[in-house]
Amino acid sequence: MGYLMSPWGLLSPFLTLYLLRLGSADFRVVGPSRPLLATVGQDVVLPCHLSPRMDAQSLEIRWIRHLVSETVHLYRNGEDKYGEQMEEYAGRTELARNGLSSGSLDLRISELRLSDDGQYVCTVRDADTYGEATVELEVAALGSVPLLSLEAYEDGGIRVVCRSAGWYPSPEVLWKGANGQHLPSVSQTRSPDERGLFEIQDVIVVSRKGNGNVSCVVRNSRLEQESSLHISAPFFHNARPWMAALGVLLLLLVICFGVIAYLFRRKGGREHGQDRTVKGIFHARDILLGTEMEAARGLGPSIAAGNGIGSESSGAEGN
């Protein structure tokens, strides 16, 4: 016999093969350490990879929804399988094929819906090994810019309403004054629409001592919008009802006095005109009567003489 082999020498080839086998099959599946935030309607990529980096083209890769354990996307034997896919994800998922050779298992979901919100599990298996990682997706909808409006006078101040719609998840409203201090609201309503998006309306009463500067911040756990409003001093003049009532009363009194004075002037002018007319009529009658009397007195003898002359002339003609 040429030489005696040691026990370690005999085991070395088998140990090497075992380590190579273990190294090729042992892996971990790694996902992101924090939730992903995406908005309704956009596309999102759920990241996931193998550690250590290795070729994953021969592995089974299955993305499932957490809790319900239903398949979102399945890759097996080098191709995508859609037979087990959830109906709501049909035509909206794509596994990043170009990254499989380097251990990338990213899944793209297009045209996000509110129902896509939640946790996903990236699972990988081969004949001997299984691994998984959880990816949390937060789907949000950014609502409209808050609309501020002055509604009415109330409790010595001005009632201000803040409205915004199109939010998901359900939002809340925060009012801030000129110095950033919190202002309490007096009422609030919120309701979902047919798409599951929320509309909110919140009301406060702003007093003049707050300088008339207010900001309405509408936010949920993921997004926020803000609007500000400045209420000028003249708006607060009518904030107290008794002052407004007094002003209206004084205005009515002035109008009434003006109408009464106008009517008296008109009535006085009409009576003065009537007096002048009556006096003119009587004066004309006096003049006419006086003229007739004068004529009667002055023409009486002439008329009598004329009558006599006429008689005499008639007699002479007769002769």
Side-chain angles (χ1 to χ4, degrees):
M1 184 175 285
Y3 62 91
L4 296 174
M5 296 184 65
S6 68
W8 290 109
L10 293 173
L11 293 175
S12 179
F14 297 100
L15 182 61
T16 301
L17 290 173
Y18 175 77
L19 291 175
L20 290 173
R21 167 77 175 172
L22 182 64
S24 63
D26 190 17
F27 54 79
R28 292 186 306 111
V29 182
V30 181
S33 59
R34 60 182 60 187
L36 303 177
L37 177 62
T39 57
V40 174
Q42 72 173 183
D43 297 351
V44 66
V45 174
L46 306 183
C48 184
H49 68 271
L50 297 178
S51 179
R53 295 282 184 172
M54 54 182 290
D55 190 351
Q57 296 182 81
S58 61
L59 303 177
E60 177 186 293
I61 304 166
R62 185 189 298 263
W63 282 87
I64 63 176
R65 286 302 300 263
H66 184 58
L67 299 179
V68 296
S69 298
E70 293 190 39
T71 300
V72 175
H73 192 93
L74 174 61
Y75 173 87
R76 181 193 291 153
N77 298 327
E79 59 183 11
D80 298 308
K81 306 290 186 180
Y82 297 104
E84 301 178 37
Q85 186 178 46
M86 296 173 64
E87 183 179 352
E88 62 183 279
Y89 290 97
R92 297 199 299 126
T93 61
E94 179 185 2
L95 194 67
R97 293 290 196 91
N98 56 353
L100 288 176
S101 58
S102 60
S104 177
L105 315 171
D106 295 352
L107 180 71
R108 174 182 293 274
I109 303 177
S110 59
E111 299 178 0
L112 279 179
R113 305 171 182 175
L114 296 180
S115 58
D116 296 333
D117 183 82
Q119 291 184 330
Y120 295 76
V121 182
C122 173
T123 70
V124 181
R125 94 172 55 240
D126 67 1
D128 303 308
T129 309
Y130 172 85
E132 66 177 39
T134 300
V135 180
E136 184 172 356
L137 174 62
E138 295 181 343
V139 179
L142 181 64
S144 60
V145 175
L147 175 63
L148 297 174
S149 59
L150 308 181
E151 295 288 318
Y153 294 108
E154 182 176 321
D155 298 332
I158 299 176
R159 181 183 177 93
V160 182
V161 180
C162 177
R163 297 181 178 89
S164 185
W167 288 90
Y168 184 85
S170 180
E172 63 178 4
V173 173
L174 174 66
W175 290 94
K176 296 187 296 184
N179 300 319
Q181 74 276 19
H182 173 68
L183 301 176
S185 64
V186 296
S187 67
Q188 183 181 102
T189 58
R190 73 181 73 201
S191 58
D193 61 17
E194 64 279 0
R195 299 172 296 169
L197 303 178
F198 289 88
E199 177 180 356
I200 192 167
Q201 175 177 302
D202 203 276
V203 180
I204 63 169
V205 175
V206 181
S207 61
R208 184 169 184 175
K209 63 182 180 181
N211 297 322
N213 292 314
V214 293
S215 295
C216 175
V217 180
V218 183
R219 65 186 183 185
N220 57 25
S221 58
R222 301 165 185 176
L223 302 168
E224 72 174 40
Q225 292 266 41
E226 179 175 353
S227 289
S228 299
L229 175 68
H230 173 72
I231 307 174
S232 58
F235 281 98
F236 290 98
H237 292 335
N238 295 326
R240 298 195 176 277
W242 67 268
M243 294 181 64
L246 180 61
V248 173
L249 180 61
L250 291 175
L251 179 62
L252 291 176
L253 288 174
V254 170
I255 293 174
C256 288
F257 280 122
V259 171
I260 291 172
Y262 171 75
L263 293 176
F264 270 111
R265 288 184 59 188
R266 187 172 181 181
K267 182 178 180 182
R270 186 179 299 168
E271 290 179 350
H272 180 67
Q274 290 176 350
D275 289 344
R276 292 181 60 186
T277 303
V278 171
K279 289 179 180 179
I281 293 172
F282 281 113
H283 183 65
R285 289 181 60 187
D286 291 344
I287 294 174
L288 181 60
L289 290 174
T291 304
E292 291 177 350
M293 292 176 65
E294 290 292 333
R297 286 196 296 268
L299 296 176
S302 300
I303 294 173
N307 290 335
I309 295 171
S311 300
E312 290 176 359
S313 298
S314 300
E317 290 176 1
N319 294 327

